[in-house]
């Protein structure tokens, strides 16, 4: 992949990149369209499909993560993607399979691989607090993918708001010559954000999952009505609303400044809201600008 990208670079071809973990849906395709829009017809669009083990804790759904490469490739072809990069663990993480004498600090699992990229501020709260190895895995794999794909433009989804903020910070801090674009969340007609994990929502769980959207709408309405609402009060009300669905359990809901991710005590127009909710065993995240 890197040799191909460097060859393109030498003759002035621009590269647009959409990193994914596969099991593609319309949300991913909208990122591809955004990359194409930014680059025009002459640019090359690369999609990577790689379920990155370092961003999953041992207790999480790595082995069960949905995969369907054949279908993904068909979707990419239909969308006019130029290259689909599908590395495996050995290719992405040298010495991955070697038994480590002792796991590195905070390591999800013992491996001979030992170099990580860590963003130390934006990645500590919310998803970073709930999933301690997650962002280290994301920043590491995205940095590696940037080195391999050499993109001029990389497109990430707004659904993973914090991930986009962490990646932007990482790319700036480490001087990656890439423009990070964040494209809007695609939603199902009933408001549920498109996500590969929606596949886990069988039967009534799919209906109950709509409560994330309802919670965001309720917060939106509260801010519209009162202009300024204490975050603690809003959190308590939303917890009640969310947990009125029998299979839903709130992991966190936060209100914060969209640039710094600093929490706000009073929620006003323009604050960002993010939440994580278990619906059955499936953990869903979403966010909205109020
Ligand atoms: O958002 C995702 O699908 C993943 O976190 C990413 C950016 C592809 C890194 O593995």
């Amino acid at each position: 992949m890197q040799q191909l990208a460097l060859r393109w670079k030498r003759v002035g071809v621009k590269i647009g990149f959409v990193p994914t973990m596969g099991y593609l849906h319309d949300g991913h395709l909208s990122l591809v369209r955004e990359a194409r829009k930014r680059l025009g017809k002459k640019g090359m669009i690369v999609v990577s499909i790689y379920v990155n083990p370092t961003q999953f804790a041992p207790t999480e759904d790595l082995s069960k993560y949905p995969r369907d490469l054949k279908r993904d490739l068909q979707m990419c072809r239909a969308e006019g993607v130029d290259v689909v990069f599908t590395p495996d663990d050995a290719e992405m993480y040298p010495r991955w399979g070697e038994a480590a004498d002792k796991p590195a600090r905070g390591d999800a699992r013992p491996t001979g691989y030992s170099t990580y990229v860590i963003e130390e501020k934006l990645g500590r709260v919310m998803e970073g607090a709930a999933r301690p190895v997650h962002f280290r895995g994301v920043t590491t794999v995205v940095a590696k993918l940037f080195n391999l794909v050499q993109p001029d433009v990389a497109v990430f989804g707004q659904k993973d708001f914090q991930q986009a903020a962490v990646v932007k910070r990482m790319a700036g801090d480490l001087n990656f010559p890439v423009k990070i674009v964040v494209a809007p969340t695609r939603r199902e007609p009933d408001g549920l954000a498109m996500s590969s994990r929606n596949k886990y929502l069988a039967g009534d769980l799919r209906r109950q999952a709509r409560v994330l959207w309802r919670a965001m709408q309720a917060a939106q309405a509260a801010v519209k009505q009162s202009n300024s609402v204490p975050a603690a009060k809003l959190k308590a009300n939303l917890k009640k609303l969310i947990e009125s669905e029998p299979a839903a359990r709130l992991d966190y809901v936060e209100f914060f400044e969209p640039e710094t991710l600093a929490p706000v005590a009073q929620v006003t127009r323009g604050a960002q809201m993010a939440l994580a909710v278990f619906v059955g065993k499936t953990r869903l995240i979403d966010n909205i600008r109020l």
Side-chain angles (χ1 to χ4, degrees), residues 122-139:
L122 306 181
R124 288 208 169 161
V125 293
M126 294 185 286
E127 286 304 285
R131 305 178 65 192
V133 296
H134 178 64
F135 283 124
R136 183 187 71 159
V138 170
T139 41

Side-chain angles (χ1 to χ4, degrees), residues 19-21 50 52 55 138 141-142 156 160 163:
T20 82
M21 297 206 300
Y50 178 57
N52 171 37
Q55 68 190 74
V138 170
V141 82
V142 170
F156 292 80
D160 297 299
Q163 167 173 280

